[in-house]
Amino acid sequence: IQKMDHRDLSVPYPLRQYQWDGVDFLLTNESALLADEMGLGKTVQTAIALRIALRRPDCNRALIVAPASLRINWERELQHWAPELAVRRVIGNAKDRAETYLLPVPVLIASYDQIRPDGRSIDSSVHFDIVVLDEAQRIKNAGSGAALGCRLLSRTSSWALTGTPVENSIEDLTSIFGFVKPSLLHVGMPRKIIHERIRGHFLRRRKVEVLGE
């Protein structure tokens, strides 16, 4: 990925190889759960992947859904790692937000609290090429309003990020994959089959595994 497709991509600081592998994982998956341990740079990997994806002629709009406290951080990180992308936070009342979703802005950033009602009421013409869920454990309860709102978003690619080891919790994993790749998993499915099915859509690296980099 670094040599073949993006020779002209400049980044503020060199990425580690495992991070480029994470970028590649996202770019080559319409359904992806990046579950690296906290501190390994999931935000950076996603920012670079969005930067590359949005250079493609068939990819124009992305929505990042994050906890409200992290929206400014996302805006700051995108300015740092993808400075050419126009980014706008979704703000205001329901009417203001509805109008914002219609804007031709490459990257919008909304909170889970906003998507909880907006996912059900957003204009049917609104479609995102990529929707990213940060701290995706926020939708670990499949019956919650936030989980439903996220699942209702019209999108081509579904990317989810979490530092929580959800592979150890079948219920959490099933709920998150209800957004990442609907119908892939269901409650009551044997653990072995679940792990077989998510292979290719799930990437988790621990710090001890990448210490050499």
Side-chain angles (χ1 to χ4, degrees):
I1 179 172
Q2 202 170 1
K3 296 178 180 177
M4 292 176 60
D5 298 328
H6 318 298
R7 289 168 291 184
D8 61 338
L9 188 70
S10 61
V11 292
Y13 304 102
L15 270 66
R16 307 297 187 184
Q17 184 56 50
Y18 80 85
Q19 293 175 320
W20 280 115
D21 292 342
V23 171
D24 190 30
F25 167 72
L26 293 172
L27 289 173
T28 56
N29 272 288
E30 288 188 350
S31 305
L33 173 55
L34 180 60
D36 285 350
E37 201 169 57
M38 188 178 298
L40 294 184
K42 292 186 294 296
T43 302
V44 172
Q45 294 171 66
T46 306
I48 294 295
L50 286 173
R51 181 182 181 185
I52 295 168
L54 288 166
R55 298 168 79 187
R56 298 171 176 171
D58 60 344
C59 187
N60 301 292
R61 303 188 73 219
L63 171 68
I64 298 170
V65 183
S69 61
L70 296 180
R71 288 184 302 159
I72 293 177
N73 180 67
W74 267 103
E75 192 172 27
R76 185 166 50 240
E77 290 295 312
L78 285 164
Q79 288 171 352
H80 188 69
W81 292 97
E84 70 271 31
L85 292 182
V87 180
R88 179 165 180 165
R89 275 180 289 137
V90 176
I91 59 174
N93 58 30
K95 182 175 182 296
D96 294 334
R97 299 196 305 272
E99 292 174 353
T100 301
Y101 294 123
L102 294 167
L103 296 176
V105 178
V107 182
L108 294 176
I109 305 173
S111 70
Y112 284 101
D113 289 339
Q114 292 169 328
I115 294 300
R116 183 178 292 110
D118 293 353
R120 308 181 194 190
S121 61
I122 196 168
D123 192 284
S124 60
S125 66
V126 174
H127 178 82
F128 296 99
D129 297 296
I130 303 170
V131 173
V132 180
L133 301 190
D134 187 24
E135 301 288 348
Q137 65 272 16
R138 293 293 183 98
I139 64 164
K140 67 181 182 179
N141 179 355
S144 68
L148 176 60
C150 290
R151 291 198 301 269
L152 289 174
L153 293 169
S154 177
R155 60 202 183 275
T156 301
S157 293
S158 306
W159 298 351
L161 316 175
T162 180
T164 302
V166 291
E167 75 272 23
N168 295 328
S169 172
I170 297 303
E171 293 76 15
D172 294 4
L173 195 62
T174 300
S175 180
I176 293 172
F177 265 91
F179 164 81
V180 172
K181 194 169 179 63
S183 302
L184 182 70
L185 308 179
H186 59 76
V187 176
M189 184 178 286
R191 182 182 295 266
K192 181 179 178 181
I193 294 178
I194 285 177
H195 285 186
E196 288 174 354
R197 288 200 174 188
I198 67 174
R199 187 177 298 122
H201 302 290
F202 178 85
L203 180 63
R204 177 171 174 80
R205 280 79 57 87
R206 296 176 298 157
K207 290 178 182 176
V208 67
E209 296 169 338
V210 297
L211 280 177
E213 297 186 45

